[in-house]
Structure formats: structure tokens, C-alpha cells
Amino acid sequence: MQVDEDARTPVLNRLRRAQGQLAGVIAMVEAGRDCKDVVTQLAAVSRALDRAGFKIVASGMRQCLAEGAEDSAPMTEAELEKLFLALA
């Protein structure tokens, strides 16, 4: 699946931001920073990754459905639900 051109830049920006935040979390743990600060930053990383994932799924849903219809059987409701729940 390719990410829609309109979504690609925002998705990449979110992923790069999450990458930077994760590097910051690693540095915080290595430096022995306060647990509350580490967990707060870790939650921010998690949210950034979730948002990127949701954007990818949302932008690619039409493509997935269209490809499924062309290449094989269309995605079932259960398969779509599983895809969304994988990010939950």
C-alpha cells in the first residue's frame, strides 16, 4: 500500500517527530531523569505513532478496498475492523 500523496508529508513529519521524541526518551532514561518526565514523553511518542498510523489507515482505506476488489475478494468488515483495532 502506498500512502496518498496528500497524506505522505504529514505522516512523515509525525514519524520524524516521534523518532526525535523517542531519542529524547532514551536520553532521559540514560540520564536517570524523573519517571514522571520519562512517562510523559513516552506517552507523547505513543500518541505521535498512533496518529501517524491512523492517518496511514485513513488515507489508504480506499486504495485497500479498491485493490482488494481488483486483486482478490474485497476486504470484509471483520478484516477492516482488525486493521483499525491493530492501532487501538
Side-chain angles (χ1 to χ4, degrees):
M1 175 182 89
Q2 291 186 356
V3 177
D4 181 271
E5 288 296 323
D6 293 334
R8 182 174 297 178
T9 299
V11 165
L12 288 172
N13 287 342
R14 287 178 200 260
L15 291 173
R16 287 184 182 109
R17 184 173 28 240
Q19 184 179 33
Q21 289 172 316
L22 183 56
V25 170
I26 291 168
M28 291 171 75
V29 170
E30 290 174 341
R33 294 278 302 271
D34 182 62
C35 180
K36 180 181 174 185
D37 295 336
V38 172
V39 171
T40 299
Q41 288 305 309
L42 194 56
V45 172
S46 179
R47 282 191 305 274
L49 291 173
D50 287 345
R51 292 185 76 177
F54 287 131
K55 185 75 168 176
I56 289 169
V57 169
S59 71
M61 191 54 61
R62 273 191 224 113
Q63 180 182 353
C64 287
L65 291 171
E67 287 176 0
E70 293 172 7
D71 297 340
S72 59
M75 292 180 73
T76 66
E77 184 175 332
E79 290 171 321
L80 290 173
E81 183 178 340
K82 183 177 179 180
L83 185 62
F84 279 110
L85 290 176
L87 294 170

